[in-house]
Amino acid sequence: MSATFSPDMTGRRALVTGGASGIGEVTAKLLNQLGASVVLADLNADALPDAAKRTGALGTVDGNVASAADVDRMVADADAMLGGIDLLFNSAGIGDDLVPVHAQSPERWQHVVDVNLKGTYLMCRAVGRQMVERKLGAIVNVSSIVGIGAFPGRSAYGVAKAGVGHLTKTLACEWGNLGIRVNAIAPAYTRTPMVQSLLDRKIFDPTLIENRTPLGRFAETEEMARAACFLLSDWASYITGVVLPVDGGWSAYGAAGDVVKIRTGDGASAG
Ligand SMILES: NC(=O)c1ccc[n+]([C@@H]2O[C@H](COP(=O)([O-])OP(=O)(O)OC[C@H]3O[C@@H](n4cnc5c(N)ncnc54)[C@H](O)[C@@H]3O)[C@@H](O)[C@H]2O)c1
């Protein structure tokens, strides 16, 4: 598969959280290839130097997005490196324990919500302050299909990602009259280190996921990066407050049967 779509991001200055791995890293690389200057932010300080080399990032900042003090410091340092922040991509996130609510630890629940939701809120707040002053900017947050439909065992992550979607819409409404756009992508299963570790530990069966997905496969990380870069670019100049499923049709699918069998015509009648 080849993609020829390429918005011009020349001169744009971007901060990417979770930039040391997965969707954040690949989006940072594509932003750089499209002409933007990029700073990576991540909790994993050890991984940042190599990620900067792989993505062509101008610089890196390390810290915890769930800490207001860390966020203020990272944003101030990134702002100094870039000379202003036009674009923010909030990809930092963690998974949850895959246990039902009655078996969950409240502390772990809170931690998952803090990183995924509070972290996104704090980053939007800190970068948004200067975007509001300059009346310019675009933000893309990362929700999930788990924030659209309920997944048993994923209450913390699901609540956090649903919250990211709602936060996105709220900010779009608060800042729209200033010309600041805020959108989110809602990925399905994407082959990143986070998902690979779940597959390696046999926490879920890839065949079940492929069969549940109308496009019949996992997403590639680049497919998330392209959607994010589109929403960050001027090509999306009239799009704000959208939570865009980038999910191979996962959230569109509602039938009880096996999507692959029905699609290929070798299953039962679709009735
Ligand atoms: N991979 C998927 O299938 C999938 C699906 C839906 C949504 N998402 C979301 O996409 C985003 C990226 O996921 P990924 O699969 O690329 O994961 P990943 O683990 O490859 O990358 C996540 C990055 O976030 C960083 N991070 C974690 N906690 C942090 C914190 N407190 N402060 C700063 N950085 C922190 C990690 O160090 C890591 O570099 C996450 O928000 C995730 O929830 C992923």
Side-chain angles (χ1 to χ4, degrees):
M1 184 173 55
S2 70
T4 51
F5 164 78
S6 56
D8 184 7
M9 316 279 268
T10 306
R12 301 296 159 89
R13 301 160 296 183
L15 177 58
V16 175
T17 77
S21 177
I23 294 169
E25 177 186 326
V26 175
T27 302
K29 185 175 177 184
L30 184 55
L31 281 167
N32 178 257
Q33 287 169 348
L34 294 172
S37 303
V38 182
V39 167
L40 309 178
D42 207 286
L43 185 62
N44 188 348
D46 293 342
L48 277 168
D50 281 349
K53 282 186 203 140
R54 290 192 297 270
T55 58
L58 177 82
T60 66
V61 288
D62 65 90
N64 179 1
V65 294
S67 153
D70 279 15
V71 164
D72 287 347
R73 173 183 50 77
M74 288 193 290
V75 169
D77 289 351
D79 185 55
M81 281 181 224
L82 291 163
I85 300 170
D86 308 305
L87 309 174
L88 171 64
F89 181 55
N90 277 315
S91 191
I94 54 170
D96 45 10
D97 284 344
L98 302 177
V99 289
V101 168
H102 65 269
Q104 258 171 356
S105 132
E107 292 75 22
R108 175 67 188 170
W109 191 93
Q110 188 66 58
H111 180 60
V112 171
V113 171
D114 280 351
V115 174
N116 290 293
L117 178 55
K118 185 181 173 191
T120 302
Y121 160 76
L122 289 173
M123 287 300 308
C124 287
R125 178 173 173 269
V127 175
R129 279 179 174 158
Q130 49 150 294
M131 288 182 172
V132 163
E133 259 176 45
R134 294 168 49 226
K135 298 187 173 52
L136 183 76
I139 297 175
V140 171
N141 296 321
V142 181
S143 179
S144 166
I145 51 169
V146 187
I148 295 174
F151 282 49
R154 307 204 64 186
S155 79
Y157 187 82
V159 164
K161 293 301 189 180
V164 166
H166 202 87
L167 174 70
T168 297
K169 294 176 189 177
T170 304
L171 292 174
C173 296
E174 289 186 0
W175 295 338
N177 66 341
L178 302 172
I180 301 162
R181 297 182 302 101
V182 188
N183 292 294
I185 58 170
Y189 294 91
T190 309
R191 289 200 181 272
T192 66
M194 183 192 270
V195 162
Q196 196 56 51
S197 83
L198 296 172
L199 287 170
D200 292 346
R201 288 181 283 145
K202 301 199 182 325
I203 289 185
F204 55 68
D205 176 354
T207 308
L208 285 179
I209 289 164
E210 286 160 3
N211 286 351
R212 170 65 178 73
T213 305
L215 286 183
R217 61 177 176 84
F218 281 53
E220 298 301 328
T221 322
E222 288 74 13
E223 293 175 306
M224 299 304 146
R226 286 186 212 129
C229 286
F230 164 67
L231 290 171
L232 287 168
S233 81
D234 291 347
W235 284 36
S237 56
Y238 202 59
I239 301 176
T240 197
V242 161
V243 181
L244 178 69
V246 189
D247 66 358
W250 178 285
S251 57
Y253 185 67
D258 182 324
V259 68
V260 172
K261 283 184 183 161
I262 300 295
R263 186 182 57 222
T264 55
D266 58 357
S269 160

